[in-house]
Amino acid sequence: MMRIFHRRTIFRIVFKIDCVLLSVVLHHGDADANRSNAFEVSNNGHSIVYDNNGSGSAAIRGARYIDNTCIAWGYVSAGGGASPNSFGILGPVTKAGNAYTITLNYVDNSGNQVQMSGSAVVATPLYGGDPCITITAEPVTWTGTVNQCVIRTWSSCAATSHEFMFHVFGR
């Protein structure tokens, strides 16, 4: 462990053997009650920030926050197949008519599914020559065990299957 003292805030850099390789811990004053993890780097390549930007705050270029991040993205074919290069999807995309249900793989540090507290789903149809392609995305819902979103497509102004790309942002 290494400590760096700066005025009244103590920055402590902790190296661990288990899943976290590097943790930057901030202390405000001397009490452990004022401790907050600012940043962690794991041994498998992911990093976690522990700051909430909150509602109505300015987004800082290049900054990442725990409460405003990309949860999932991917390509879904007209038949409902998700690209293996998709991110944050748990299991196959289920399809019923023109409705595609995407189950999100959103977990805590222990790998347990956690409920999102807010979301924005953005879906973009891939142009296939039809000038009347429409897409709608419903907000993420919690089933009691996982987060899911439903995306519906229309082509030629009627409900039909169509390929699309999507992003889910959330808290």
Side-chain angles (χ1 to χ4, degrees):
M1 177 175 44
M2 175 175 54
R3 285 189 178 202
I4 302 168
F5 295 91
H6 182 279
R7 296 186 189 165
R8 295 209 25 93
T9 300
I10 301 170
F11 298 89
R12 183 172 62 172
I13 300 174
V14 180
F15 297 93
K16 294 183 179 180
I17 303 299
D18 56 5
C19 123
V20 178
L21 286 180
L22 168 69
S23 178
V24 177
V25 181
L26 299 176
H27 287 267
H28 304 287
D30 295 328
D32 278 344
N34 294 323
R35 175 185 162 212
S36 65
N37 285 351
F39 188 79
E40 283 184 6
V41 178
S42 75
N43 63 354
N44 69 0
H46 73 267
S47 62
I48 302 172
V49 294
Y50 288 96
D51 188 22
N52 290 314
N53 196 31
S55 300
S57 299
I60 300 169
R61 182 176 65 177
R64 299 294 177 260
Y65 301 94
I66 199 168
D67 64 338
N68 293 293
T69 190
C70 182
I71 304 300
W73 57 262
Y75 161 83
V76 177
S77 70
S83 165
N85 295 326
S86 297
F87 167 79
I89 299 175
L90 183 65
V93 173
T94 58
K95 181 180 177 303
N98 71 323
Y100 300 83
T101 301
I102 300 168
T103 302
L104 305 177
N105 194 10
Y106 185 57
V107 298
D108 61 17
N109 288 344
S110 300
N112 302 311
Q113 294 290 323
V114 293
Q115 183 177 1
M116 294 175 62
S117 62
S119 67
V121 181
V122 179
T124 306
L126 298 177
Y127 183 70
D130 185 344
C132 191
I133 298 170
T134 307
I135 196 163
T136 60
E138 297 175 11
V140 172
T141 58
W142 176 249
T143 68
T145 56
V146 293
N147 296 283
Q148 292 183 328
C149 64
V150 176
I151 297 174
R152 300 178 192 279
T153 61
W154 287 266
S155 185
S156 299
C157 301
T160 188
S161 303
H162 197 77
E163 63 184 337
F164 60 91
M165 300 287 296
F166 74 94
H167 281 86
V168 178
F169 300 92
R171 298 179 172 195

